[in-house]
Amino acid sequence: MEEGAREGNTAIRMILADSQAIYRVGMRKVFALEDDIRVVAQAETLQNLYAALQRFPTDVVVLEGQLISGTVDAIPELVRRAPEAKLIVQLSESDEANTVELYRRGVRGVVPRSISPDLLIKCVRKIAAGETWIDNQSVSWVIEAYRAQATSLTGPRTQPKLSKKELAIIGCITRGMRNKEIAYQIGTTEQVIKNYLRKVYDKLGVSDRLELALYCLHHQLLKKYNQEAEDTILANGTHQGQ
């Protein structure tokens, strides 16, 4: 990891994260010609990038896709560690599933490794200004993915069997509670809650809290659960009264 000086208060502060030193050197030379962009650090591994984000205030990260390959939670972890830093991922080969997943997880731009220097500079400026950089092909992929998601969430399907504890956790999620708060309320650990959520995601075919909330809304999941609980209470009361 190498530190770079920041000049001026309005410069875009950038980290270059790439496993290839020659590529980092080339990109740094490109950005060195721009008065409004300053490379504050370079990173050759994901761990180096985590350390750089902790040390340097950063506006934009230009990240080699290969650097996060095989690390499922890399993007959410980067977003968690540096929520103000906007991520641009460079891919050697783009495909629909990977591109959609990157945008869904919070990446602001997905660009090819072969992108021209001028276009990359334009991309960095637009993303630093709060925009999303997305080409026509990626737009089509993202739209189709969300259409498919909406269909799967609203279409008829067999209701999976959920335990009372899973339903209680889902209820907490829909109220906006964090894992730590849910663990405290239920009387368990945060890790146990995470394990339950993974099982719930698998059962319902969703991938995050937002999709879980949408699923509950469309299928009135908690309403059915509450009704069943009331029916059980009434049945038990009737049985005890006889």
Side-chain angles (χ1 to χ4, degrees), residues 50-240:
Y50 290 152
L53 286 169
Q54 186 172 3
R55 186 175 178 187
F56 302 103
T58 308
D59 299 307
V60 175
V61 177
V62 177
L63 172 65
E64 177 195 10
Q66 190 61 34
L67 217 60
I68 58 173
S69 179
T71 309
V72 177
D73 295 327
I75 296 300
E77 182 63 17
L78 288 168
V79 172
R80 185 188 71 80
R81 288 171 182 252
E84 300 303 319
K86 300 172 180 67
L87 304 176
I88 301 172
V89 175
Q90 291 187 304
L91 299 178
S92 298
E93 294 182 6
S94 62
D95 63 83
E96 182 173 354
N98 193 25
T99 299
V100 170
E101 184 66 10
L102 286 169
Y103 279 113
R104 193 184 67 78
R105 287 181 173 264
V107 169
R108 293 297 190 93
V110 178
V111 299
R113 293 278 277 176
S114 57
I115 189 172
S116 69
D118 289 345
L119 203 55
L120 182 57
I121 290 166
K122 184 178 180 181
C123 172
V124 167
R125 286 179 177 143
K126 283 190 173 292
I127 287 177
E131 298 182 35
T132 296
W133 182 276
I134 184 167
D135 60 29
N136 290 335
Q137 178 64 75
S138 297
V139 168
S140 298
W141 285 344
V142 170
I143 289 173
E144 285 305 313
Y146 276 96
R147 280 177 179 165
Q149 176 182 310
T151 300
S152 68
L153 290 175
T154 57
R157 58 189 296 178
T158 303
Q159 189 70 51
K161 184 67 176 175
L162 296 168
S163 69
K164 289 183 178 180
K165 184 162 284 188
E166 287 171 338
L167 286 162
I169 291 171
I170 291 171
C172 293
I173 293 291
T174 58
R175 293 198 298 274
M177 294 173 66
R178 295 173 296 179
N179 290 349
K180 187 175 182 180
E181 296 170 323
I182 300 171
Y184 178 79
Q185 177 164 313
I186 292 178
T188 186
T189 66
E190 193 172 349
Q191 185 57 50
V192 169
I193 298 300
K194 289 179 180 178
N195 294 339
Y196 268 108
L197 278 176
R198 288 194 193 100
K199 292 178 182 177
V200 168
Y201 290 167
D202 288 342
K203 284 184 178 182
L204 301 183
V206 300
S207 55
D208 57 24
R209 281 167 137 80
L210 175 59
E211 289 184 15
L212 177 58
L214 287 171
Y215 183 97
C216 290
L217 179 65
H218 288 300
H219 292 273
Q220 297 184 319
L221 190 64
L222 296 176
K223 183 178 178 181
K224 292 175 183 177
Y225 165 63
N226 292 333
Q227 185 61 52
E228 286 175 6
E230 288 178 12
D231 292 343
T232 300
I233 292 170
L234 288 172
N236 289 339
T238 302
H239 178 72
Q240 290 170 5

Side-chain angles (χ1 to χ4, degrees), residues 9-53:
N9 294 325
T10 59
I12 298 167
R13 301 162 298 184
M14 186 194 323
I15 292 178
L16 299 176
D18 200 290
S19 61
Q20 298 182 30
I22 191 168
Y23 203 86
R24 296 197 308 273
V25 170
M27 284 199 295
R28 183 158 190 167
K29 286 183 177 179
V30 166
F31 290 118
L33 300 174
E34 308 303 316
D35 293 335
D36 61 334
I37 301 174
R38 293 291 174 266
V39 176
V40 296
Q42 297 181 50
E44 61 180 10
T45 67
L46 190 57
Q47 291 304 318
N48 286 158
L49 177 55
Y50 290 152
L53 286 169

